[in-house]
Amino acid sequence: MKKIMLTLVLLAGIRASYAQSALTLQDCLKYALANNQALARTRLEEDMGRFKTSEVRGQALPQVNANGSYTNNIKKQVLPIPGDFVGEPGKTVLLTAGVTHNVVASGSITQEVYNQSVFTGLKAAKAGEEYYRMQTVQSEETVIYNVTSLYYAALVSREKTIVLDANIDKLQQLVNTTATQVENGLARKIDLDRMRVNLTNYKTQRINAQNQFLIQANQLKMQMGMSMGTALELPATSFKEIESKTATAADFGGVTLDNRIEYKLLTKQEELQNYQKKAYIAQYYPSLQLGGNYSYNGISDKFDFLKSKSGGSTASWYDMASVSLTLKVPIFDGFARRSRVSQANVTLKELSKQKEEVALSLNTQFENAKLQAQNNLSTIRAQKENVELANEVYLSTQNNYNLGLASLTDLLDSETSLTEAQNNYNEALLQYKLAELDIIKSNGNLKSLLN
């Protein structure tokens, strides 16, 4: 009980630490692999696979059974026999058969000496256990992929709110300054109203961006298996790490089908189907079974089995034993076995075509992800230059506006262009990371994100 309480306290401490400190991507992934409900269900199925292997293995082990029975012959059978056998010729004598009470204790043991179906089933069960393990790996990769994509999307959404916050602050200062100028007759009220309209629009955009971030954060917590009531804080530095990595991206490698869990699962299914085919073929083979039986019987017309002979027991006890060797030779089953083998061959052909289809799909996904990543890299570079240019235009327009050389329309337009450029840049970073994630998935290296 103390160990259980200590474990609960430690678990609560770990979850509390997650709630109090900012979570890196690796923190989120490790938490998700430990708490995701769908993954936990898949791991239970993996346990089920091990138990199924044990069940099949049991068929190859000795089968031992014990039985006990008690029979009370309330009305005994009567056997008519010629009286000549008992000294009464010419008559039919009725004899009572059996005794009133009968107690039997018996045991049996059987062992498969040769049964090809059982031996093939053992190999198939072991391969099935590996298949369940691979399904767990696939579920883990799905969790890693979903958590990573939501993590980056949440970072970008939060960055959008930061951009809007900065623009709101700048515009609020301009509104305050212009309001003072209007009071002193140095600016027009219509200009102040236009600024306030833009400010309200920015605040509305900020609310929408914040809601989007909260929704993505909730989706992230759901994928992680984290309670909705738990606070989720993301580190402020992670977004800059995204930006720095885009500058060094070059070689995307190549797709290796043997690393893709989807392809490996189909290969394992093919192996399992081959075992199924062998199991059907094994039904043509004879089987040999060794068996043994032993029984100990007690009979009496009185229920005095517990008494000893010296105590007046009338029970008689005797035992029986036998050893058997059973050979079963299949001869004809109406071509049912042949039909099952033919069905297995068709299934193998279907799996072969499915593997070809999946291989083509995986290669296509990889090539598309490379193209998308390369395109996004170009977009990032262009948008970064665009942000710098838009910022220069805004600063220059703001200076000219303060000097009376630019109109309010020019200032507001340059500010809107700067905001759009910043958001486009952030979106380009997100799209690059998602394309990079697809490439990592294509290479079968999603677990590398844990490091």
Side-chain angles (χ1 to χ4, degrees):
M1 187 64 183
K2 290 182 178 179
K3 290 183 178 180
I4 294 175
M5 291 300 296
L6 179 59
T7 302
L8 291 175
V9 170
L10 290 174
L11 183 59
I14 291 173
R15 292 187 174 181
S17 66
Y18 276 120
Q20 293 171 2
S21 59
L23 297 183
T24 64
L25 174 60
Q26 287 70 31
D27 292 332
C28 291
L29 292 175
K30 291 174 182 177
Y31 188 99
L33 292 178
N35 296 278
N36 181 272
Q37 289 83 3
L39 181 55
R41 188 173 65 252
T42 306
R43 286 174 177 148
L44 289 175
E45 292 176 359
E46 184 179 347
D47 292 338
M48 184 69 74
R50 286 193 291 268
F51 294 137
K52 287 182 178 179
T53 301
S54 298
E55 178 187 2
V56 175
R57 187 181 295 116
Q59 298 177 15
L61 299 176
Q63 309 294 305
V64 182
N65 294 286
N67 299 286
S69 67
Y70 163 72
T71 303
N72 188 328
N73 296 304
I74 299 173
K75 191 173 182 65
K76 302 185 185 73
Q77 183 180 1
V78 176
L79 299 177
I81 64 172
D84 296 323
F85 290 103
V86 293
E88 298 183 20
K91 295 183 179 180
T92 299
V93 179
L94 300 179
L95 296 180
T96 302
V99 295
T100 304
H101 304 283
N102 187 7
V103 176
V104 180
S106 63
S108 65
I109 180 171
T110 58
Q111 172 63 55
E112 296 287 350
V113 179
Y114 177 79
N115 191 325
Q116 191 61 36
S117 295
V118 173
F119 301 149
T120 303
L122 282 172
K123 297 178 182 178
K126 193 65 180 177
E129 190 174 338
E130 294 173 4
Y131 181 78
Y132 281 109
R133 281 198 294 268
M134 292 168 65
Q135 281 188 319
T136 300
V137 172
Q138 185 181 38
S139 295
E140 289 175 347
E141 290 190 358
T142 300
V143 169
I144 291 173
Y145 183 89
N146 291 339
V147 169
T148 302
S149 58
L150 285 169
Y151 184 87
Y152 286 129
L155 287 178
V156 170
S157 293
R158 189 187 60 182
E159 192 68 15
K160 289 180 180 179
T161 63
I162 294 173
V163 169
L164 288 169
D165 283 338
N167 291 334
I168 288 172
D169 288 340
K170 288 187 295 184
L171 192 55
Q172 184 66 61
Q173 293 175 7
L174 185 58
V175 166
N176 294 338
T177 301
T178 305
T180 302
Q181 292 176 341
V182 169
E183 291 177 359
N184 296 327
L186 300 176
R188 298 181 302 171
K189 185 177 181 301
I190 190 173
D191 292 338
L192 177 60
D193 292 340
R194 290 180 61 192
M195 292 179 187
R196 285 173 174 168
V197 169
N198 273 29
L199 180 60
T200 300
N201 289 338
Y202 276 135
K203 288 181 178 179
T204 301
Q205 292 176 29
R206 204 273 182 195
I207 292 173
N208 292 335
Q210 180 65 18
N211 286 339
Q212 183 182 15
F213 169 74
L214 293 175
I215 290 172
Q216 290 169 337
N218 285 339
Q219 291 174 333
L220 177 58
K221 286 193 285 187
M222 182 187 71
Q223 284 294 325
M224 292 170 59
M226 180 180 285
S227 169
M228 289 295 111
T230 304
L232 179 63
E233 183 179 350
L234 303 180
T237 57
S238 293
F239 190 81
K240 296 301 180 183
E241 292 174 5
I242 298 176
E243 184 177 354
S244 63
K245 287 181 180 179
T246 60
T248 59
D251 184 18
F252 299 120
V255 62
T256 304
L257 292 177
D258 291 337
N259 289 341
R260 290 301 299 267
I261 189 64
E262 299 94 333
Y263 193 80
K264 290 196 289 187
L265 278 170
L266 283 173
T267 302
K268 184 59 65 174
Q269 285 184 32
E270 198 172 41
E271 180 183 351
L272 287 169
Q273 188 58 40
N274 272 312
Y275 280 126
Q276 183 63 69
K277 177 183 175 181
K278 290 179 181 178
Y280 291 148
I281 294 175
Q283 294 174 2
Y284 286 101
Y285 301 158
S287 61
L288 188 64
Q289 186 182 75
L290 178 65
N293 290 276
Y294 176 81
S295 64
Y296 194 56
N297 303 269
I299 57 175
S300 177
D301 281 321
K302 297 180 180 179
F303 193 81
D304 54 1
F305 296 102
L306 301 180
K307 294 181 180 180
S308 62
K309 287 293 184 182
S310 60
S313 175
T314 62
S316 298
W317 293 90
Y318 62 95
D319 59 352
M320 295 183 296
S322 66
V323 176
S324 63
L325 193 62
T326 304
L327 176 65
K328 181 181 178 181
V329 181
I331 297 176
F332 181 70
D333 67 345
F335 304 110
R337 286 186 293 267
R338 186 177 69 178
S339 297
R340 287 192 286 269
V341 172
S342 299
Q343 291 174 44
N345 286 329
V346 172
T347 303
L348 285 170
K349 291 178 181 178
E350 289 176 344
L351 285 172
S352 178
K353 291 299 180 182
Q354 191 174 357
K355 285 177 67 177
E356 293 177 9
E357 181 183 358
V358 168
L360 179 59
S361 175
L362 294 178
N363 279 291
T364 302
Q365 291 174 15
F366 175 70
E367 293 299 326
N368 288 343
K370 281 201 308 181
L371 290 173
Q372 188 66 35
Q374 292 167 349
N375 179 65
N376 287 330
L377 282 175
S378 300
T379 303
I380 286 171
R381 287 189 286 267
Q383 288 297 333
K384 188 173 185 179
E385 295 175 358
N386 196 38
V387 169
E388 293 172 353
L389 180 60
N391 189 55
E392 291 178 4
V393 170
Y394 172 75
L395 293 176
S396 176
T397 305
Q398 184 183 45
N399 184 57
N400 289 337
Y401 176 77
N402 293 333
L403 296 175
L405 300 177
S407 66
L408 177 61
T409 299
D410 294 336
L411 178 61
L412 296 179
D413 287 345
S414 64
E415 186 178 46
T416 300
S417 298
L418 175 58
T419 301
E420 290 178 354
Q422 290 169 326
N423 286 332
N424 289 339
Y425 177 65
N426 293 336
E427 186 65 27
L429 286 174
L430 171 62
Q431 293 304 318
Y432 169 77
K433 291 308 296 181
L434 294 180
E436 184 185 57
L437 181 61
D438 286 334
I439 291 174
I440 295 173
K441 180 181 179 181
S442 297
N443 292 332
N445 295 323
L446 280 173
K447 288 194 174 182
S448 63
L449 296 171
L450 291 166
N451 302 323

